[in-house]
Amino acid sequence: MSRRKLPKGWTIRDGLLTMKDPVRDRRATAIHEAGHAVVSELVRERVQRVGLTSRYLRNSSYTGLRGFCNTLYSKQHGRIDPIHRAVIALAGHEAEVYLCARPVTLLPLEDLQVIRRLGCSDDSVALAGQISRRYVRWNAKDIRRVAREILKYQMLSRRQFLKAYRDVT
């Protein structure tokens, strides 16, 4: 990774961008995964489960958290819609940028790999980024609520996710 100055509170640990404070890093990871999940639901893709797991290296040393959001993508004409897939892939990053002040230019590697595998042009990726940015900003309250539930229970099933997402109290 290049030697660029990172914003206050962020560091690179084991090649991954994380927050220096473990509690805030956990919250940022939950917001990232909640962003994927909420935007998946908005574009009418089915979220199976979402949560946090511990990340270990091969020598079994603990390095922090890893999030996951399992989504069943609907197929139209035998194919998954690449724009939906790109919007969902970018939504977690956009949620972290908007709600946790993550550096805009540092897209997580797994999300970047999803975008590359789709073979989208730069214009398509820019459009998907704008769409996901708007979805995140319009639904920030829902993302925060789902992230709180992820932090509380570590993992949410579809039913738990929908309850947290649709809770209008």
Side-chain angles (χ1 to χ4, degrees), residues 5-147:
K5 188 170 177 175
L6 294 173
K8 186 176 178 184
W10 290 87
T11 186
I12 295 177
R13 190 179 314 137
D14 297 324
L16 300 168
L17 181 71
T18 60
M19 295 187 101
K20 290 179 182 175
D21 180 11
V23 173
R24 295 182 84 184
D25 185 41
R26 185 176 165 87
R27 180 179 174 270
T29 305
I31 283 175
H32 179 96
E33 297 309 324
H36 285 308
V38 168
V39 171
S40 294
E41 205 60 35
L42 289 170
V43 296
R44 292 186 170 76
E45 301 295 352
R46 186 179 169 92
V47 174
Q48 289 298 97
R49 60 192 183 127
V50 60
L52 304 174
T53 60
S54 298
R55 180 181 23 218
Y56 291 90
L57 292 176
R58 286 191 179 137
N59 63 0
S60 72
S61 62
Y62 176 73
T63 62
L65 286 175
R66 182 177 189 283
F68 63 90
C69 178
N70 296 345
T71 305
L72 275 178
Y73 292 96
S74 57
K75 293 185 178 182
Q76 297 170 350
H77 308 293
R79 296 182 56 203
I80 295 171
D81 184 0
I83 294 296
H84 279 188
R85 187 74 175 98
V87 167
I88 293 167
L90 293 171
H93 172 67
E94 293 298 338
E96 273 191 275
V97 167
Y98 186 64
L99 300 172
C100 299
R102 181 187 177 99
V104 177
T105 56
L106 297 173
L107 186 66
L109 182 62
E110 290 180 6
D111 297 341
L112 181 61
Q113 288 172 344
V114 167
I115 299 295
R116 285 185 180 153
R117 272 185 262 139
L118 289 172
C120 295
S121 68
D122 290 343
D123 291 339
S124 298
V125 172
L127 175 65
Q130 287 178 343
I131 293 169
S132 63
R133 196 169 302 121
R134 287 183 180 172
Y135 277 145
V136 164
R137 289 186 177 162
W138 291 336
N139 297 284
K141 193 183 292 185
D142 296 332
I143 292 170
R144 282 191 186 104
R145 189 170 49 241
V146 170

